[in-house]
Amino acid sequence: MPERLYLEDLHVGQSWVSEPHAIDAAQIKAFAADYDPQPFHLDEEVAEKSLFKGLAASGWHTAAVTMKLLVGSDFKPAAGIIGVGFDELRWPKPVRPGDELHVEGEILETRASRSNPRQGLIKVKTSTINQHGEAVQISVGNLVVPRRQT
Amino acid sequence: MPERLYLEDLHVGQSWVSEPHAIDAAQIKAFAADYDPQPFHLDEEVAEKSLFKGLAASGWHTAAVTMKLLVGSDFKPAAGIIGVGFDELRWPKPVRPGDELHVEGEILETRASRSNPRQGLIKVKTSTINQHGEAVQISVGNLVVPRRQT
């Protein structure tokens, strides 16, 4: 894909794959301590007895790592990756220490903005996948992208 | 609300308000450096020229702070706050350095799980509100809660 993407460069079905990111227990606990300090994200023994049956990352940690991988990927809208909201966000499987995650992105829709002639809106599906090929996060988000000025 | 909430303790319309959390530029840049390293979340000068017209927090930072406030609030499901996904997640306004955020939660639906007699599912709306009374994040999420065992 080009280095700086405008609405005119984007089309339905365009897809990309990020680099991988390895998750460990220290990362899971550090994120949880700051943003989701529930015992099953902080302590292996408590986690064993929880619904997760073992230490698991906060879903918001998975979402944050997904964003990091997306920002580092070949998907480079000219004004940055700017989301206005999501049609879907779910965590079908927990993220565990030792998991290696990557993100697969795909454009589902593109259209010009009705209110701003300089902007477009695109709908992007991102799947965050672990080393077993299982999706740990699925999202469908709406992003603002600039239009090429003529 | 009681200290450990089961499905039987929860009802549509139940609501709660979290403590406040003050956001500053250092927090915005630290989160962004780790998880959303785009220039408009890291550098005031670049941010002025961006779509945000000034330094703004990553939406994922707002989501993470929202979770922290929710975990610290009076909303205490007996097995923890465990989300399986969202019907809605959006960021209607940017979060700026100096903002003071709090979260308002409300239960929209409660029901028994069809597949697991020990579990219930609830739908919760959370609104993250700044010091001007403006919503910076709205979410509608689906949580798993335990049923009281008889």
Side-chain angles (χ1 to χ4, degrees):
Chain A
M1 284 196 272
E3 282 268 311
R4 286 170 57 82
L5 298 163
Y6 292 83
L7 179 65
E8 293 76 6
D9 303 312
L10 299 164
H11 56 83
V12 173
Q14 217 166 349
S15 67
W16 62 95
V17 177
S18 80
E19 295 294 304
H21 175 94
I23 298 270
D24 61 25
Q27 290 169 43
I28 289 176
K29 293 177 189 180
F31 185 96
D34 284 344
Y35 298 112
D36 190 350
Q38 302 193 86
F40 42 76
H41 296 318
L42 290 166
D43 181 299
E44 279 87 351
E45 279 188 42
V46 178
E48 287 295 338
K49 294 173 204 144
S50 77
L51 203 66
F52 290 111
K53 299 184 170 63
L55 194 69
S58 169
W60 299 112
H61 188 190
T62 305
V65 168
T66 298
M67 187 64 189
K68 180 182 104 91
L69 290 173
L70 201 58
V71 170
S73 78
D74 288 341
F75 177 61
K76 304 276 189 213
I81 300 174
I82 301 182
V84 292
F86 286 81
D87 294 348
E88 185 178 339
L89 173 64
R90 56 195 170 88
W91 299 301
K93 291 259 178 190
V95 171
R96 305 291 189 182
D99 277 2
E100 187 174 273
L101 307 181
H102 74 273
V103 173
E104 301 180 3
E106 181 184 354
I107 296 177
L108 302 184
E109 285 180 34
T110 70
R111 67 174 177 86
S113 165
R114 287 182 199 105
S115 57
N116 186 334
R118 292 171 168 265
Q119 286 182 3
L121 290 161
I122 64 173
K123 201 178 284 292
V124 174
K125 179 177 180 177
T126 66
S127 305
T128 311
I129 312 282
N130 68 18
Q131 69 278 17
H132 307 299
E134 299 163 330
V136 296
Q137 179 180 297
I138 306 266
S139 77
V140 176
N142 298 294
L143 305 182
V144 181
V145 293
R147 296 183 68 175
R148 209 176 277 284
Q149 298 305 307
T150 51
Chain B
M1 283 196 271
E3 282 269 311
R4 286 170 57 81
L5 298 164
Y6 292 83
L7 179 65
E8 293 76 6
D9 303 313
L10 298 164
H11 56 84
V12 173
Q14 217 165 348
S15 67
W16 62 95
V17 177
S18 80
E19 296 293 304
H21 175 95
I23 298 270
D24 61 25
Q27 290 171 43
I28 289 176
K29 293 177 188 179
F31 184 97
D34 284 344
Y35 297 113
D36 190 351
Q38 301 192 87
F40 42 75
H41 295 318
L42 291 166
D43 181 299
E44 279 86 351
E45 279 188 42
V46 178
E48 287 295 339
K49 294 172 204 145
S50 77
L51 204 66
F52 290 111
K53 299 184 170 64
L55 194 68
S58 169
W60 299 112
H61 188 190
T62 305
V65 168
T66 298
M67 187 63 190
K68 181 182 102 90
L69 291 173
L70 201 58
V71 170
S73 78
D74 288 340
F75 177 62
K76 304 276 189 213
I81 300 175
I82 301 182
V84 292
F86 286 82
D87 293 349
E88 186 178 339
L89 173 64
R90 56 195 170 88
W91 299 301
K93 291 261 178 187
V95 171
R96 304 293 189 180
D99 277 2
E100 187 174 276
L101 307 181
H102 73 274
V103 174
E104 301 180 4
E106 182 185 353
I107 296 177
L108 301 185
E109 285 180 34
T110 70
R111 66 175 177 85
S113 164
R114 286 181 200 108
S115 57
N116 186 334
R118 292 171 168 264
Q119 286 182 2
L121 290 161
I122 63 173
K123 200 178 283 294
V124 175
K125 178 176 180 176
T126 66
S127 305
T128 312
I129 312 281
N130 67 18
Q131 69 278 18
H132 307 300
E134 299 163 330
V136 296
Q137 179 179 298
I138 307 265
S139 77
V140 176
N142 298 295
L143 304 181
V144 181
V145 294
R147 296 183 69 175
R148 209 176 278 284
Q149 299 305 308
T150 51

